[in-house]
C-alpha cells in the first residue's frame, strides 16, 4: 500500500498514524518493523518519564507501550526496554534482584568535578547512547541530529537566561564541551553544525507558534536531506513517520 503524501503546511492528517503503523507492519519484514518501533521510542520515553517523575502530563498513544504498563510501572518495569529499566532502578534506588546490582560509577573514579545533571538529561543520555549506535544508518543519523539540535538549542536558551548549560546538555562529547565553554555568538560551530545560524535566528522569534513551526520545518528539511536517495525502502518509511509526527 502506498503512503499518503505529506505536506509541511497541511492543516491536519487525514489518516491515523497508529492505524497506518499497523498496516505497514503487515507489509514489511519484521526486522524493518523493529526499526519503526525504535523510531517511536521517544514517545514511550516521555510516557515513562511522565509516570516515573510524576509530571502529571497526558499519555501519548504514539509510542509502542500501552498506558496500562506505565500506570503500574513498579509491577511492569521488567518488561520495559533495558535502558528504561536501568534508569528506573537508578532513580528509585531499588534493585533488579537480590544478585543484580544497578550500574554505578567506578569507585576509584574521581567524580568531584562531574556536573550533577537533571534526571531527564541523564535518561536522555541513556537513550541517545543507544540510538546513535543504531545499525540503521538513517536512524543513527536522525537521532544524532536530534541530540545535537536539542543541545544547541538548550545552550542558546541557557545563554539567554544567564544560566550554566552544563546540567542541561545531553552527553559528553566534543560538541557539548564547546557549547559549555564557547563565548562566540555561534559557539564557533559554523563548520561543525551547518544549521546553527538557522537555529539561532529561529530562537529569537517571539511568537511561540511561529517559532515552533520554524523548528519543525528545520527538522522536516533534515529528514528530506537524509533520505534524498531513498525511494520507498525502509528509510523512506521511517522518514514518513517522522514527518507524520511533525504535522
Amino acid at each position: 500500500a502506498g503512503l499518503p503524501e505529506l505536506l509541511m503546511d497541511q492543516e491536519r492528517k487525514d489518516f491515523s498514524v497508529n492505524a497506518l503503523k499497523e498496516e505497514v507492519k503487515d507489509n514489511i519484514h519484521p526486522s524493518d518493523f523493529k526499526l519503526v518501533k525504535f523510531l517511536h521510542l521517544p514517545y514511550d520515553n516521555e510516557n515513562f518519564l511522565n509516570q516515573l517523575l510524576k509530571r502529571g502530563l497526558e499519555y501519548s498513544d504514539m509510542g509502542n507501550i500501552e498506558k496500562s504498563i506505565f500506570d503500574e510501572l513498579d509491577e511492569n518495569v521488567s518488561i520495559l526496554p533495558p535502558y528504561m529499566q536501568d534508569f528506573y532502578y537508578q532513580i528509585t534506588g531499588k534493585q533488579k534482584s537480590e544478585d543484580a546490582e544497578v550500574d554505578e560509577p567506578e569507585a576509584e573514579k574521581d567524580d568531584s568535578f562531574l556536573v550533577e545533571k537533571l534526571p531527564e538529561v541523564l535518561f536522555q543520555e541513556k537513550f541517545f547512547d543507544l540510538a546513535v549506535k543504531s545499525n540503521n544508518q538513517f536512524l543513527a543519523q536522525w537521532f544524532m541530529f536530534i541530540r545535537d539540535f536539542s543541545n544547541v538549542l538548550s545552550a542558546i536558551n541557557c545563554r539567554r537566561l544567564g544560566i550554566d548549560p552544563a546540567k542541561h546538555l545531553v552527553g559528553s562529547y566534543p560538541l557539548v564541551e564547546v557549547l559549555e565553554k564557547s563565548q562566540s555568538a555561534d559557539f564557533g560551530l559554523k563548520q561543525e553544525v551547518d544549521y546553527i545560524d538557522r537555529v539561532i535566528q529561529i530562537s529569537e522569534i517571539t511568537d511561540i507558534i511561529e517559532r515552533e513551526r520554524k523548528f519543525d520545518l528545520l527538522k522536516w528539511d533534515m529528514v528530506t536531506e537524509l533520505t534524498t536517495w531513498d525511494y520507498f525502502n525502509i528509510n523512506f518509511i521511517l522518514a514518513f513517520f517522522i514527518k507524520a509526527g511533525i504535522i
Side-chain angles (χ1 to χ4, degrees), residues 20 55 57-58 72 89 138 178 225 232 241 246-247:
L20 192 58
R55 291 170 162 179
L57 303 176
E58 270 191 47
E72 303 294 336
Y89 292 118
F138 169 76
V178 173
E225 179 181 328
F232 211 76
F241 279 112
I246 290 174
I247 61 174

Side-chain angles (χ1 to χ4, degrees), residues 1-100:
L3 296 173
E5 182 180 2
L6 297 179
L7 300 173
M8 176 62 197
D9 292 323
Q10 69 188 73
E11 291 296 322
R12 60 179 178 81
K13 295 189 269 290
D14 55 0
F15 59 90
S16 163
V17 173
N18 285 335
L20 192 58
K21 211 189 319 184
E22 288 303 309
E23 185 176 342
V24 166
K25 179 180 179 180
D26 295 333
N27 287 278
I28 63 175
H29 193 277
S31 63
D32 285 337
F33 190 68
K34 285 183 179 180
L35 299 177
V36 174
K37 292 180 69 176
F38 192 96
L39 178 67
H40 288 82
L41 279 174
Y43 297 106
D44 291 320
N45 292 344
E46 288 304 309
N47 288 331
F48 171 71
L49 288 176
N50 182 41
Q51 187 67 21
L52 181 63
L53 303 181
K54 304 187 186 308
R55 291 170 162 179
L57 303 176
E58 270 191 47
Y59 168 82
S60 169
D61 66 356
M62 291 284 284
N64 308 296
I65 303 173
E66 296 286 341
K67 183 176 183 295
S68 59
I69 301 298
F70 292 118
D71 286 344
E72 303 294 336
L73 188 60
D74 292 340
E75 290 75 13
N76 295 318
V77 65
S78 62
I79 64 177
L80 296 177
Y83 70 93
M84 288 188 188
Q85 293 186 41
D86 288 344
F87 187 72
Y88 171 88
Y89 292 118
Q90 180 182 343
I91 289 296
T92 63
K94 298 177 181 178
Q95 297 295 321
K96 295 180 182 179
S97 66
E98 291 183 0
D99 57 355

